[in-house]
Amino acid sequence: MEWQKAAKKWTLVLTGVLSFQWALAQDNAELQQTARNFLRTGDYANAILVLNQAITTSPDDIQLKKDLAFAYYLRGDYQRAYTVVSPLVDKKDADIHLFQIAGNIYQGKQDWKGAEKVYQRGLRKFPQSGELHCDYGDLLQNMKNFDAALRYWVKGIEVDPNFPGNYYHAARSYMWTKEPIWAILYGETFINLESYTTRTAEIRDVVLECYKKLFDDPAIFNSVPGESAKGKKGEATNAFMDAFKGVMAKNVSVIATGIEPQSLIMLRTRFLLDWYKFYGVKYPYALFDFQRKLLRDGMFESYNYWLFGPAANQAEYKSWTALHKSDYDNFTAWQRNHPLKLRDDEFYNTGKIATIK
């Protein structure tokens, strides 16, 4: 019958179109991978050539155009990068990475207000993105708006607690505020999330220095635990900090001979015992749970030498690991199998950020 012949004809046509589109998609995927290989080796000219070729056959492919904008950006051709990326942020399928690339391109053009608008638009679309909070904080810091930058990094920690970048920046910033405790907590968290980079070594120094700063200023311990647990919104932050300070102050005699790995092991051990006796239920905190598991599993000494040893004294650290090779090897194996995992409902830093000194 005629309708059957027509149906068969259109089925063949449709099959041919779909086969062509599938083959085209496969070709473009291969071209995109080729371009990304060029980008990784720093051959931006060839990456741009390949991406432009792919775009001629798929002019609406946002991923290809995103890579092209990034290639122009890496080559330092900010105007072409801007021309490619600026229409993309309005697309429905614009993703977090596209907003990050766009922000970098606007900054490359020194269009600070444009970059700010890009990040704000991205955060409206992806309010839980740790990456965009981190990048926006970087921009604000470059604009010398340090308090606002810190607020965005702290917000990034709240909404995306397992993204390391915000901990890195927040720890560095809090080192210069009246609350070194946040530098200690965020710094140690970062070291566990990003354990073997140049930034790790930097934050080890920050954490050790902030322990010294914590006990160098007796005024830090003036607040009474629990005194701010009632009243206005945001005071829970002060209550958590007061609890931390109270437990630390109780054990201050442990570090009378100085801040070094062995005294910190004793201080932090006593802190954990007292914290879980008085505050563990009221203020659950994944980092403290992680430390307590290390303590229970016999890994706490090795962990603390790993954490503080390289910053405190590199020679003594190497000597300790050589003398305790078996213990240290057991810890590194344990560490690989027990990564720190942060939890969404344990954010206590909701109060006003202390004025930077």
Side-chain angles (χ1 to χ4, degrees), residues 305 316-326 328:
Y305 269 99
E316 289 184 7
Y317 168 66
K318 289 183 178 179
S319 176
W320 188 91
T321 56
L323 289 171
H324 301 81
K325 187 177 185 307
S326 178
Y328 196 74

Side-chain angles (χ1 to χ4, degrees), residues 130-131 134 153 156-157 160-172 186-195 197 199-200 203 340 342:
E131 295 96 328
C134 187
W153 291 324
I157 289 170
D160 192 359
N162 285 288
F163 176 72
N166 290 302
Y167 292 100
Y168 167 77
H169 291 292
R172 293 172 75 243
Y186 290 159
E188 183 172 349
T189 301
F190 171 77
I191 291 168
N192 279 281
L193 294 177
E194 186 178 300
S195 299
T197 69
R199 299 201 305 181
T200 310
I203 299 302
L340 172 63
L342 288 307

